[in-house]
Amino acid sequence: LDPQEWLGHRSGPRYVQLRRRIEEAIEKGILPPDSSLPPEREVAEITELSRVTVRKAIQELVKLGVVEQRQGSGSFVRAPVARVEQSLSHLTSFTEDMKRRGLETTSRWLERGVFIPSPEEVLTLGLATGDSVARIYRLREADGQPMALERASLPLDILPNPIDVSRSLYEVLEQSGNRPVRAVQKISAVNLEPGDAELLGVAEGTAGLSIQRISYLDSGRVAELTKSVYRGDAYDFVAELRLST
Ligand code: 16G
């Protein structure tokens, strides 16, 4: 490859030019999903760029979620994400939703324990002065692919031992007779913040869906306040509408 062909007609810093060139190769299918990028040294030779520049370009692609680095075996083009259609008419758990699609749920734990509640938690969960709150904060994955970040808060008498939740929160609630039967959900558009984007494996500023769910027990009491961020590139939320009579 002629270095001019890589860089000749482009502007901007050289690592950005190289990054764009690699992005183009991916878009055109020259570098298909799951294929490996040539080693840094080789790219440097072909392009006549320094290895520092090549490394910087690849690091940018990693940050953008286009490329992933696998320990010991180099950089690979990430396979595009599969979109999931999620019904808004049923009160189901993430584990149930993924299971129905034949996908396995895993969670990366970011926080799980008993905390002093925020004013919002006190108000929404109807806590009394001095009450603590159970919090579970997880990155939810489907077949290993990050899908959503979920921050759930529950009154302690509904979830006395947050540590009991090793897989499904709703399963634990079900076992103690505290499975919510109704929920109100609010969905808003967001641009993912850098930390959240990194956890979800997408580029900073990517579109996301922020979802707040407040769920209720049969008694009418609030069981759960969950604030989630779903990947905008992975989810379609679908609701069925009927003519009101
Ligand atoms: C869903 C719910 C979340 C609930 C979780 C329980 C939304 C936006 N969120 O992801 O409120 O806490 O399911 O899932 O639908 P689990 O039983 O698999 O832990």
Side-chain angles (χ1 to χ4, degrees), residues 144-240:
Q145 176 177 286
M147 300 297 274
L149 280 164
E150 286 190 341
R151 291 180 171 84
S153 310
L154 300 95
L156 261 199
D157 59 314
I158 290 180
L159 184 67
N161 295 309
I163 225 84
D164 286 349
V165 183
S166 58
R167 287 162 173 269
S168 165
L169 168 64
Y170 278 17
E171 200 180 294
V172 170
L173 295 179
E174 177 126 40
Q175 278 157 8
S176 60
N178 284 322
R179 168 116 190 189
V181 296
R182 188 173 75 85
V184 176
Q185 216 162 266
K186 188 165 89 179
I187 305 182
S188 332
V190 288
N191 291 317
L192 296 174
E193 286 172 21
D196 289 355
E198 201 184 326
L199 285 166
L200 289 168
V202 294
E204 216 177 290
T206 298
L209 295 157
S210 149
I211 306 184
Q212 177 182 288
R213 179 184 286 192
I214 299 176
S215 68
Y216 299 82
L217 301 180
D218 206 18
S219 63
R221 200 181 148 201
V222 175
E224 167 199 17
L225 164 67
T226 295
K227 293 190 167 196
S228 316
V229 193
Y230 279 70
R231 282 175 65 158
D233 63 343
Y235 270 89
D236 293 308
F237 286 93
V238 181
E240 187 183 303

Side-chain angles (χ1 to χ4, degrees), residues 20-47:
R20 290 204 191 113
R21 181 66 183 84
I22 298 174
E23 280 173 333
E24 275 172 29
I26 294 171
E27 274 161 31
K28 287 183 185 147
I30 299 167
L31 288 168
D34 268 332
S35 65
S36 59
L37 297 189
E40 223 172 79
R41 177 184 30 82
E42 218 172 280
V43 179
E45 271 167 28
I46 298 168
T47 56

Side-chain angles (χ1 to χ4, degrees), residues 68 78 81 94 98 102-108 139-148 199-201 231:
E68 66 186 355
R78 286 183 59 152
V81 46
F94 186 88
M98 294 308 131
L103 304 175
E104 173 135 17
T105 299
T106 45
S107 296
R108 209 166 116 198
L139 174 69
R140 317 289 322 251
E141 298 157 327
D143 276 357
Q145 176 177 286
M147 300 297 274
L199 285 166
L200 289 168
R231 282 175 65 158

Side-chain angles (χ1 to χ4, degrees), residues 5-25:
E5 194 193 314
W6 280 82
L7 306 164
H9 58 284
R10 290 155 204 279
S11 57
R14 306 209 118 200
Y15 74 92
V16 175
Q17 296 178 32
L18 177 59
R19 191 203 81 204
R20 290 204 191 113
R21 181 66 183 84
I22 298 174
E23 280 173 333
E24 275 172 29

Side-chain angles (χ1 to χ4, degrees), residues 125-144:
L125 301 174
L127 304 180
T129 320
D131 280 355
S132 299
V133 69
R135 269 189 210 151
I136 53 179
Y137 176 20
R138 310 172 270 181
L139 174 69
R140 317 289 322 251
E141 298 157 327
D143 276 357

